Amino acid sequence: MVWFVVFLISMVTILTIFFVLLKRRLRDKIESEAFLNKLLAGFGIVLDTEKLGISIWIDNDLTYINSILLEHSNLLGIDIKSRKELDELFAHPEKYLVIYDVITEIKKRREANVQEYYGSWRKEIGQKYIEIKYIRRFLDGKQYVVLTTRDVSHELSNLETTILAELNEIFEEEISKESISLYEFGDRIRTILNKHGLVDIFGVGLLRTNGEIYFPYFKYADEDDRSGLVMSPSEKTMSRYIIDKGLKLHIKSALKQQDLGDGYRLKKIRGEDFTIYGVPIIFRGQTRGVILFEKQGTEQFSNATLAVFDKVAHFIFLALRFIDILEELEDEKKKLLEVSIKDYLTGAYSRLFLEQFLEKELSKCKRTNSKTAVAFLDVNEFKRINDTYGHVYGDKILKTLVEVIYKNIRIMDLVARYGGDEFVIVLPETTPENAGLVMKRIVEALGEKNISISYGMIEISEFATIEDIYKEVDRRMYEMKKKSKQENSAED
């Protein structure tokens, strides 16, 4: 019986001690939470211990951290309780691309000695959409740093609407320009995706006609811009795989999935592990390139994010299609310009263009005291040639004439069809003596083709108008023609 009394007394004593300790712990917990709530209220934060990850540093010492924040930091592979690891984080933010902009922004504020600062970001980390807030303030002579995290994955659907609205605005701005810069367009897209924490790396590669893949835009970070990268046809990379197969490719771990089969392998550019999503650029029934979305870490893209990427790719398809249309229109404009300033038969410039060119040359000669020579020529006995051999043969003579002239003048010189078989050659920055040598060379070359011409030649700086030039050079051409006929008659 005595032992039972002793046992009972012992149990009562133990329970009393237990309840005292429990009461003290509850009181401490209540006081701790009251202090925490009071502190956070001063920062404008309402504490929800079930949803909000939180950590507090007072004068650089970690004084509080909860399990939710630890869980979120573990998604990044960061031990946030380690001072050494945090120092490494700020020393080398490029190693942590997922939160690169967060770290660089905080670091910039710290180095500028900004005492009070508030920053807010949203990042997709490990397929969770996490809101990150950073607050630094001085209270009662102490520096307080509060870091909070919150899972807002339920808002991803709203994010898609926001991103698409921003992309649509960019697209409308770009197509209103005379030309689209794929670099500027790509950079604006990456800025949006990076701001919302969906990508670290973004690239657009285009397939060239020689089989190369050219990346007009490919950026890892602001200071790691690899735009202009070219992959040769022999490189069987992931980009080549996507283009050759015409298939989307989702790689959850670049380190674990380097072999893509059929001889294709990932090209290892950085040592870290990445999640990659590649989309082929297909329009007009052909694969024309590849779009790459990449993020540091394993399995970083949720299904909702992949759906956003597909819609982003659609905007890029539209932009490339628009660029194609612009290029086609530009080609048509060039063709129409060629038709308007060139003779369709011979390829010589038109008389209208000739007169505009001569006006500028005459003005330049008077302004700079330079020399420009002009030769006026026609084909001897051209009417007889047409009557004897037909107009098709006559047209061939005229085309051959212009081809020979082009081979014997400089790029800066001009040959124009004045009318019928009459042509004008303009030789800027040329003295009459040098122009005579050019014409001698042309006459000899034409003689080898059995084409005979007569020409008149002058230097134009002393003339007042284009009409005066035409009259004088035409007169000299007929003098040569008359002299040639007289010489031929004397020989007969």
mmCIF file of all heavy atoms in Angstrom, residues 19-61:
data_model
loop_
_atom_site.group_PDB
_atom_site.id
_atom_site.type_symbol
_atom_site.label_atom_id
_atom_site.label_comp_id
_atom_site.label_asym_id
_atom_site.label_seq_id
_atom_site.Cartn_x
_atom_site.Cartn_y
_atom_site.Cartn_z
ATOM 1 N N PHE A 19 3.094 20.413 -16.045
ATOM 2 C CA PHE A 19 2.145 21.502 -16.328
ATOM 3 C C PHE A 19 2.756 22.865 -16.095
ATOM 4 O O PHE A 19 2.464 23.823 -16.800
ATOM 5 C CB PHE A 19 0.871 21.329 -15.487
ATOM 6 C CG PHE A 19 -0.078 20.298 -16.053
ATOM 7 C CD1 PHE A 19 -0.380 19.155 -15.340
ATOM 8 C CD2 PHE A 19 -0.656 20.483 -17.304
ATOM 9 C CE1 PHE A 19 -1.239 18.197 -15.865
ATOM 10 C CE2 PHE A 19 -1.525 19.525 -17.820
ATOM 11 C CZ PHE A 19 -1.815 18.375 -17.104
ATOM 12 N N VAL A 20 3.642 22.967 -15.123
ATOM 13 C CA VAL A 20 4.337 24.235 -14.866
ATOM 14 C C VAL A 20 5.221 24.597 -16.066
ATOM 15 O O VAL A 20 5.223 25.725 -16.538
ATOM 16 C CB VAL A 20 5.179 24.139 -13.572
ATOM 17 C CG1 VAL A 20 6.122 25.348 -13.466
ATOM 18 C CG2 VAL A 20 4.268 24.096 -12.351
ATOM 19 N N LEU A 21 5.995 23.561 -16.541
ATOM 20 C CA LEU A 21 6.856 23.796 -17.700
ATOM 21 C C LEU A 21 6.043 24.136 -18.949
ATOM 22 O O LEU A 21 6.408 25.011 -19.744
ATOM 23 C CB LEU A 21 7.735 22.568 -17.969
ATOM 24 C CG LEU A 21 8.812 22.280 -16.916
ATOM 25 C CD1 LEU A 21 9.498 20.943 -17.217
ATOM 26 C CD2 LEU A 21 9.856 23.402 -16.909
ATOM 27 N N LEU A 22 4.934 23.388 -19.130
ATOM 28 C CA LEU A 22 4.078 23.639 -20.304
ATOM 29 C C LEU A 22 3.489 25.034 -20.258
ATOM 30 O O LEU A 22 3.461 25.751 -21.271
ATOM 31 C CB LEU A 22 2.960 22.587 -20.346
ATOM 32 C CG LEU A 22 1.992 22.685 -21.539
ATOM 33 C CD1 LEU A 22 2.758 22.514 -22.848
ATOM 34 C CD2 LEU A 22 0.897 21.638 -21.420
ATOM 35 N N LYS A 23 3.066 25.426 -19.044
ATOM 36 C CA LYS A 23 2.484 26.758 -18.880
ATOM 37 C C LYS A 23 3.524 27.828 -19.176
ATOM 38 O O LYS A 23 3.251 28.833 -19.829
ATOM 39 C CB LYS A 23 1.951 26.905 -17.461
ATOM 40 C CG LYS A 23 1.224 28.240 -17.218
ATOM 41 C CD LYS A 23 0.658 28.285 -15.814
ATOM 42 C CE LYS A 23 -0.062 29.629 -15.589
ATOM 43 N NZ LYS A 23 -0.600 29.719 -14.223
ATOM 44 N N ARG A 24 4.767 27.566 -18.692
ATOM 45 C CA ARG A 24 5.845 28.525 -18.925
ATOM 46 C C ARG A 24 6.169 28.616 -20.419
ATOM 47 O O ARG A 24 6.385 29.706 -20.950
ATOM 48 C CB ARG A 24 7.081 28.101 -18.145
ATOM 49 C CG ARG A 24 8.233 29.091 -18.246
ATOM 50 C CD ARG A 24 9.375 28.673 -17.369
ATOM 51 N NE ARG A 24 8.988 28.688 -15.976
ATOM 52 C CZ ARG A 24 9.747 28.190 -14.987
ATOM 53 N NH1 ARG A 24 10.912 27.622 -15.283
ATOM 54 N NH2 ARG A 24 9.347 28.250 -13.731
ATOM 55 N N ARG A 25 6.207 27.437 -21.110
ATOM 56 C CA ARG A 25 6.486 27.433 -22.550
ATOM 57 C C ARG A 25 5.384 28.155 -23.320
ATOM 58 O O ARG A 25 5.649 28.886 -24.274
ATOM 59 C CB ARG A 25 6.642 26.010 -23.064
ATOM 60 C CG ARG A 25 7.941 25.347 -22.617
ATOM 61 C CD ARG A 25 8.069 23.971 -23.220
ATOM 62 N NE ARG A 25 8.193 24.043 -24.666
ATOM 63 C CZ ARG A 25 8.235 22.960 -25.454
ATOM 64 N NH1 ARG A 25 8.153 21.750 -24.924
ATOM 65 N NH2 ARG A 25 8.342 23.111 -26.760
ATOM 66 N N LEU A 26 4.122 27.897 -22.909
ATOM 67 C CA LEU A 26 2.998 28.579 -23.577
ATOM 68 C C LEU A 26 3.088 30.086 -23.367
ATOM 69 O O LEU A 26 2.852 30.874 -24.294
ATOM 70 C CB LEU A 26 1.661 28.052 -23.048
ATOM 71 C CG LEU A 26 1.264 26.647 -23.520
ATOM 72 C CD1 LEU A 26 0.039 26.153 -22.751
ATOM 73 C CD2 LEU A 26 0.971 26.663 -25.020
ATOM 74 N N ARG A 27 3.451 30.469 -22.120
ATOM 75 C CA ARG A 27 3.579 31.888 -21.827
ATOM 76 C C ARG A 27 4.695 32.513 -22.658
ATOM 77 O O ARG A 27 4.538 33.585 -23.244
ATOM 78 C CB ARG A 27 3.855 32.081 -20.336
ATOM 79 C CG ARG A 27 3.859 33.574 -19.918
ATOM 80 C CD ARG A 27 4.329 33.722 -18.493
ATOM 81 N NE ARG A 27 5.727 33.319 -18.403
ATOM 82 C CZ ARG A 27 6.271 32.789 -17.303
ATOM 83 N NH1 ARG A 27 5.553 32.559 -16.227
ATOM 84 N NH2 ARG A 27 7.570 32.460 -17.310
ATOM 85 N N ASP A 28 5.849 31.794 -22.720
ATOM 86 C CA ASP A 28 6.976 32.287 -23.529
ATOM 87 C C ASP A 28 6.603 32.383 -24.996
ATOM 88 O O ASP A 28 6.987 33.322 -25.693
ATOM 89 C CB ASP A 28 8.190 31.361 -23.368
ATOM 90 C CG ASP A 28 8.805 31.443 -21.972
ATOM 91 O OD1 ASP A 28 8.486 32.406 -21.249
ATOM 92 O OD2 ASP A 28 9.590 30.527 -21.637
ATOM 93 N N LYS A 29 5.837 31.332 -25.460
ATOM 94 C CA LYS A 29 5.422 31.325 -26.879
ATOM 95 C C LYS A 29 4.503 32.505 -27.160
ATOM 96 O O LYS A 29 4.632 33.199 -28.157
ATOM 97 C CB LYS A 29 4.721 30.010 -27.216
ATOM 98 C CG LYS A 29 4.376 29.855 -28.700
ATOM 99 C CD LYS A 29 3.819 28.474 -28.952
ATOM 100 C CE LYS A 29 3.615 28.240 -30.452
ATOM 101 N NZ LYS A 29 2.644 29.140 -31.058
ATOM 102 N N ILE A 30 3.583 32.729 -26.221
ATOM 103 C CA ILE A 30 2.643 33.842 -26.392
ATOM 104 C C ILE A 30 3.389 35.167 -26.381
ATOM 105 O O ILE A 30 3.159 36.054 -27.209
ATOM 106 C CB ILE A 30 1.559 33.816 -25.297
ATOM 107 C CG1 ILE A 30 0.623 32.610 -25.503
ATOM 108 C CG2 ILE A 30 0.742 35.104 -25.294
ATOM 109 C CD1 ILE A 30 -0.290 32.338 -24.335
ATOM 110 N N GLU A 31 4.335 35.299 -25.411
ATOM 111 C CA GLU A 31 5.124 36.524 -25.340
ATOM 112 C C GLU A 31 5.979 36.693 -26.589
ATOM 113 O O GLU A 31 6.124 37.788 -27.124
ATOM 114 C CB GLU A 31 6.009 36.497 -24.085
ATOM 115 C CG GLU A 31 5.212 36.657 -22.790
ATOM 116 C CD GLU A 31 6.108 36.540 -21.558
ATOM 117 O OE1 GLU A 31 7.305 36.233 -21.748
ATOM 118 O OE2 GLU A 31 5.608 36.760 -20.446
ATOM 119 N N SER A 32 6.577 35.550 -27.076
ATOM 120 C CA SER A 32 7.405 35.598 -28.278
ATOM 121 C C SER A 32 6.586 36.021 -29.488
ATOM 122 O O SER A 32 6.999 36.866 -30.274
ATOM 123 C CB SER A 32 8.043 34.234 -28.519
ATOM 124 O OG SER A 32 8.743 34.228 -29.736
ATOM 125 N N GLU A 33 5.389 35.403 -29.656
ATOM 126 C CA GLU A 33 4.536 35.737 -30.797
ATOM 127 C C GLU A 33 4.009 37.159 -30.685
ATOM 128 O O GLU A 33 3.856 37.856 -31.676
ATOM 129 C CB GLU A 33 3.387 34.741 -30.909
ATOM 130 C CG GLU A 33 3.831 33.365 -31.377
ATOM 131 C CD GLU A 33 2.658 32.505 -31.824
ATOM 132 O OE1 GLU A 33 1.510 32.964 -31.694
ATOM 133 O OE2 GLU A 33 2.911 31.396 -32.315
ATOM 134 N N ALA A 34 3.751 37.575 -29.422
ATOM 135 C CA ALA A 34 3.281 38.951 -29.220
ATOM 136 C C ALA A 34 4.370 39.936 -29.633
ATOM 137 O O ALA A 34 4.112 40.937 -30.305
ATOM 138 C CB ALA A 34 2.899 39.163 -27.757
ATOM 139 N N PHE A 35 5.635 39.606 -29.245
ATOM 140 C CA PHE A 35 6.762 40.456 -29.622
ATOM 141 C C PHE A 35 6.943 40.461 -31.143
ATOM 142 O O PHE A 35 7.148 41.504 -31.756
ATOM 143 C CB PHE A 35 8.043 39.955 -28.935
ATOM 144 C CG PHE A 35 9.282 40.606 -29.471
ATOM 145 C CD1 PHE A 35 9.614 41.913 -29.115
ATOM 146 C CD2 PHE A 35 10.114 39.930 -30.363
ATOM 147 C CE1 PHE A 35 10.761 42.524 -29.623
ATOM 148 C CE2 PHE A 35 11.252 40.542 -30.870
ATOM 149 C CZ PHE A 35 11.576 41.834 -30.496
ATOM 150 N N LEU A 36 6.823 39.248 -31.724
ATOM 151 C CA LEU A 36 7.006 39.117 -33.167
ATOM 152 C C LEU A 36 5.938 39.902 -33.914
ATOM 153 O O LEU A 36 6.230 40.629 -34.866
ATOM 154 C CB LEU A 36 6.959 37.639 -33.556
ATOM 155 C CG LEU A 36 7.428 37.277 -34.966
ATOM 156 C CD1 LEU A 36 8.859 37.713 -35.200
ATOM 157 C CD2 LEU A 36 7.300 35.771 -35.182
ATOM 158 N N ASN A 37 4.677 39.742 -33.457
ATOM 159 C CA ASN A 37 3.582 40.477 -34.102
ATOM 160 C C ASN A 37 3.762 41.981 -33.962
ATOM 161 O O ASN A 37 3.516 42.745 -34.895
ATOM 162 C CB ASN A 37 2.240 40.057 -33.502
ATOM 163 C CG ASN A 37 1.668 38.820 -34.177
ATOM 164 O OD1 ASN A 37 1.460 38.813 -35.374
ATOM 165 N ND2 ASN A 37 1.456 37.771 -33.412
ATOM 166 N N LYS A 38 4.221 42.385 -32.768
ATOM 167 C CA LYS A 38 4.441 43.814 -32.544
ATOM 168 C C LYS A 38 5.546 44.342 -33.446
ATOM 169 O O LYS A 38 5.427 45.417 -34.038
ATOM 170 C CB LYS A 38 4.797 44.032 -31.069
ATOM 171 C CG LYS A 38 4.945 45.505 -30.700
ATOM 172 C CD LYS A 38 5.253 45.661 -29.222
ATOM 173 C CE LYS A 38 5.431 47.142 -28.855
ATOM 174 N NZ LYS A 38 5.756 47.322 -27.420
ATOM 175 N N LEU A 39 6.636 43.548 -33.533
ATOM 176 C CA LEU A 39 7.754 43.943 -34.391
ATOM 177 C C LEU A 39 7.322 44.026 -35.853
ATOM 178 O O LEU A 39 7.579 45.007 -36.546
ATOM 179 C CB LEU A 39 8.908 42.953 -34.238
ATOM 180 C CG LEU A 39 10.102 43.151 -35.191
ATOM 181 C CD1 LEU A 39 10.791 44.478 -34.897
ATOM 182 C CD2 LEU A 39 11.089 41.999 -35.051
ATOM 183 N N LEU A 40 6.633 42.972 -36.314
ATOM 184 C CA LEU A 40 6.238 42.926 -37.717
ATOM 185 C C LEU A 40 5.194 43.976 -38.053
ATOM 186 O O LEU A 40 5.146 44.483 -39.171
ATOM 187 C CB LEU A 40 5.721 41.533 -38.073
ATOM 188 C CG LEU A 40 6.769 40.412 -38.008
ATOM 189 C CD1 LEU A 40 6.132 39.077 -38.325
ATOM 190 C CD2 LEU A 40 7.918 40.684 -38.965
ATOM 191 N N ALA A 41 4.365 44.297 -37.064
ATOM 192 C CA ALA A 41 3.357 45.333 -37.295
ATOM 193 C C ALA A 41 4.043 46.659 -37.612
ATOM 194 O O ALA A 41 3.559 47.452 -38.424
ATOM 195 C CB ALA A 41 2.464 45.477 -36.067
ATOM 196 N N GLY A 42 5.201 46.877 -36.987
ATOM 197 C CA GLY A 42 5.978 48.079 -37.276
ATOM 198 C C GLY A 42 6.524 48.094 -38.687
ATOM 199 O O GLY A 42 6.846 49.141 -39.228
ATOM 200 N N PHE A 43 6.617 46.902 -39.309
ATOM 201 C CA PHE A 43 7.083 46.782 -40.686
ATOM 202 C C PHE A 43 5.912 46.674 -41.670
ATOM 203 O O PHE A 43 6.108 46.462 -42.853
ATOM 204 C CB PHE A 43 7.962 45.534 -40.834
ATOM 205 C CG PHE A 43 9.336 45.692 -40.243
ATOM 206 C CD1 PHE A 43 9.539 45.574 -38.876
ATOM 207 C CD2 PHE A 43 10.418 45.970 -41.046
ATOM 208 C CE1 PHE A 43 10.797 45.721 -38.333
ATOM 209 C CE2 PHE A 43 11.687 46.117 -40.503
ATOM 210 C CZ PHE A 43 11.883 45.996 -39.143
ATOM 211 N N GLY A 44 4.700 46.746 -41.159
ATOM 212 C CA GLY A 44 3.535 46.632 -42.023
ATOM 213 C C GLY A 44 3.227 45.220 -42.439
ATOM 214 O O GLY A 44 2.594 44.986 -43.462
ATOM 215 N N ILE A 45 3.657 44.212 -41.621
ATOM 216 C CA ILE A 45 3.450 42.806 -41.955
ATOM 217 C C ILE A 45 2.502 42.187 -40.942
ATOM 218 O O ILE A 45 2.677 42.348 -39.728
ATOM 219 C CB ILE A 45 4.783 42.021 -41.950
ATOM 220 C CG1 ILE A 45 5.741 42.603 -42.984
ATOM 221 C CG2 ILE A 45 4.547 40.544 -42.200
ATOM 222 C CD1 ILE A 45 7.129 42.032 -42.909
ATOM 223 N N VAL A 46 1.484 41.485 -41.460
ATOM 224 C CA VAL A 46 0.582 40.735 -40.591
ATOM 225 C C VAL A 46 1.040 39.290 -40.605
ATOM 226 O O VAL A 46 1.111 38.652 -41.662
ATOM 227 C CB VAL A 46 -0.888 40.841 -41.057
ATOM 228 C CG1 VAL A 46 -1.780 39.987 -40.175
ATOM 229 C CG2 VAL A 46 -1.335 42.287 -41.050
ATOM 230 N N LEU A 47 1.386 38.746 -39.440
ATOM 231 C CA LEU A 47 1.962 37.409 -39.362
ATOM 232 C C LEU A 47 0.890 36.337 -39.467
ATOM 233 O O LEU A 47 -0.068 36.315 -38.706
ATOM 234 C CB LEU A 47 2.724 37.243 -38.034
ATOM 235 C CG LEU A 47 3.406 35.896 -37.819
ATOM 236 C CD1 LEU A 47 4.434 35.660 -38.918
ATOM 237 C CD2 LEU A 47 4.070 35.833 -36.451
ATOM 238 N N ASP A 48 1.055 35.486 -40.484
ATOM 239 C CA ASP A 48 0.211 34.301 -40.637
ATOM 240 C C ASP A 48 1.149 33.107 -40.628
ATOM 241 O O ASP A 48 1.747 32.757 -41.633
ATOM 242 C CB ASP A 48 -0.571 34.384 -41.956
ATOM 243 C CG ASP A 48 -1.537 33.210 -42.123
ATOM 244 O OD1 ASP A 48 -1.409 32.221 -41.365
ATOM 245 O OD2 ASP A 48 -2.398 33.280 -43.008
ATOM 246 N N THR A 49 1.302 32.492 -39.450
ATOM 247 C CA THR A 49 2.326 31.460 -39.279
ATOM 248 C C THR A 49 2.082 30.235 -40.133
ATOM 249 O O THR A 49 2.990 29.445 -40.368
ATOM 250 C CB THR A 49 2.408 31.032 -37.798
ATOM 251 O OG1 THR A 49 1.098 30.644 -37.347
ATOM 252 C CG2 THR A 49 2.913 32.178 -36.934
ATOM 253 N N GLU A 50 0.854 30.048 -40.616
ATOM 254 C CA GLU A 50 0.570 28.871 -41.435
ATOM 255 C C GLU A 50 0.957 29.082 -42.896
ATOM 256 O O GLU A 50 1.128 28.130 -43.633
ATOM 257 C CB GLU A 50 -0.921 28.521 -41.344
ATOM 258 C CG GLU A 50 -1.335 28.024 -39.964
ATOM 259 C CD GLU A 50 -2.789 27.586 -39.936
ATOM 260 O OE1 GLU A 50 -3.452 27.689 -40.983
ATOM 261 O OE2 GLU A 50 -3.248 27.154 -38.876
ATOM 262 N N LYS A 51 1.089 30.355 -43.338
ATOM 263 C CA LYS A 51 1.334 30.618 -44.747
ATOM 264 C C LYS A 51 2.610 31.416 -45.006
ATOM 265 O O LYS A 51 3.188 31.323 -46.079
ATOM 266 C CB LYS A 51 0.147 31.375 -45.360
ATOM 267 C CG LYS A 51 -1.146 30.576 -45.373
ATOM 268 C CD LYS A 51 -2.265 31.375 -46.006
ATOM 269 C CE LYS A 51 -3.564 30.573 -46.044
ATOM 270 N NZ LYS A 51 -4.673 31.362 -46.636
ATOM 271 N N LEU A 52 3.023 32.206 -44.040
ATOM 272 C CA LEU A 52 4.116 33.132 -44.267
ATOM 273 C C LEU A 52 5.426 32.589 -43.726
ATOM 274 O O LEU A 52 5.542 32.260 -42.541
ATOM 275 C CB LEU A 52 3.811 34.474 -43.599
ATOM 276 C CG LEU A 52 4.707 35.653 -43.978
ATOM 277 C CD1 LEU A 52 4.448 36.067 -45.421
ATOM 278 C CD2 LEU A 52 4.443 36.837 -43.053
ATOM 279 N N GLY A 53 6.423 32.495 -44.639
ATOM 280 C CA GLY A 53 7.773 32.180 -44.195
ATOM 281 C C GLY A 53 8.439 33.457 -43.739
ATOM 282 O O GLY A 53 8.295 34.498 -44.388
ATOM 283 N N ILE A 54 9.142 33.391 -42.618
ATOM 284 C CA ILE A 54 9.717 34.622 -42.094
ATOM 285 C C ILE A 54 11.049 34.368 -41.404
ATOM 286 O O ILE A 54 11.248 33.329 -40.761
ATOM 287 C CB ILE A 54 8.741 35.317 -41.118
ATOM 288 C CG1 ILE A 54 9.277 36.683 -40.711
ATOM 289 C CG2 ILE A 54 8.465 34.466 -39.894
ATOM 290 C CD1 ILE A 54 8.214 37.564 -40.091
ATOM 291 N N SER A 55 11.982 35.325 -41.591
ATOM 292 C CA SER A 55 13.243 35.305 -40.863
ATOM 293 C C SER A 55 13.594 36.738 -40.511
ATOM 294 O O SER A 55 13.268 37.667 -41.259
ATOM 295 C CB SER A 55 14.357 34.660 -41.686
ATOM 296 O OG SER A 55 14.496 35.329 -42.927
ATOM 297 N N ILE A 56 14.263 36.909 -39.351
ATOM 298 C CA ILE A 56 14.592 38.250 -38.857
ATOM 299 C C ILE A 56 16.052 38.283 -38.443
ATOM 300 O O ILE A 56 16.530 37.394 -37.735
ATOM 301 C CB ILE A 56 13.702 38.640 -37.657
ATOM 302 C CG1 ILE A 56 12.217 38.603 -38.053
ATOM 303 C CG2 ILE A 56 14.071 40.031 -37.144
ATOM 304 C CD1 ILE A 56 11.268 38.790 -36.885
ATOM 305 N N TRP A 57 16.749 39.309 -38.928
ATOM 306 C CA TRP A 57 18.125 39.559 -38.505
ATOM 307 C C TRP A 57 18.154 40.877 -37.740
ATOM 308 O O TRP A 57 17.564 41.877 -38.192
ATOM 309 C CB TRP A 57 19.065 39.676 -39.693
ATOM 310 C CG TRP A 57 19.397 38.390 -40.376
ATOM 311 C CD1 TRP A 57 20.496 37.614 -40.187
ATOM 312 C CD2 TRP A 57 18.626 37.744 -41.399
ATOM 313 N NE1 TRP A 57 20.463 36.510 -41.018
ATOM 314 C CE2 TRP A 57 19.319 36.564 -41.775
ATOM 315 C CE3 TRP A 57 17.409 38.028 -42.020
ATOM 316 C CZ2 TRP A 57 18.843 35.694 -42.735
ATOM 317 C CZ3 TRP A 57 16.929 37.162 -42.981
ATOM 318 C CH2 TRP A 57 17.642 36.000 -43.325
ATOM 319 N N ILE A 58 18.795 40.879 -36.594
ATOM 320 C CA ILE A 58 18.992 42.112 -35.831
ATOM 321 C C ILE A 58 20.495 42.340 -35.746
ATOM 322 O O ILE A 58 21.225 41.509 -35.199
ATOM 323 C CB ILE A 58 18.375 42.032 -34.425
ATOM 324 C CG1 ILE A 58 16.864 41.738 -34.528
ATOM 325 C CG2 ILE A 58 18.612 43.330 -33.652
ATOM 326 C CD1 ILE A 58 16.180 41.564 -33.188
ATOM 327 N N ASP A 59 20.928 43.451 -36.335
ATOM 328 C CA ASP A 59 22.361 43.746 -36.419
ATOM 329 C C ASP A 59 23.147 42.558 -36.974
ATOM 330 O O ASP A 59 24.164 42.122 -36.413
ATOM 331 C CB ASP A 59 22.911 44.154 -35.045
ATOM 332 C CG ASP A 59 22.425 45.530 -34.611
ATOM 333 O OD1 ASP A 59 22.052 46.320 -35.497
ATOM 334 O OD2 ASP A 59 22.419 45.806 -33.405
ATOM 335 N N ASN A 60 22.625 42.021 -38.087
ATOM 336 C CA ASN A 60 23.266 40.939 -38.853
ATOM 337 C C ASN A 60 23.262 39.577 -38.149
ATOM 338 O O ASN A 60 23.876 38.626 -38.649
ATOM 339 C CB ASN A 60 24.707 41.301 -39.227
ATOM 340 C CG ASN A 60 24.765 42.458 -40.204
ATOM 341 O OD1 ASN A 60 23.926 42.569 -41.093
ATOM 342 N ND2 ASN A 60 25.737 43.345 -40.025
ATOM 343 N N ASP A 61 22.592 39.470 -37.026
ATOM 344 C CA ASP A 61 22.461 38.172 -36.351
ATOM 345 C C ASP A 61 21.066 37.616 -36.584
ATOM 346 O O ASP A 61 20.059 38.311 -36.346
ATOM 347 C CB ASP A 61 22.708 38.310 -34.842
ATOM 348 C CG ASP A 61 24.161 38.610 -34.523
ATOM 349 O OD1 ASP A 61 25.022 38.097 -35.268
ATOM 350 O OD2 ASP A 61 24.430 39.356 -33.563
#
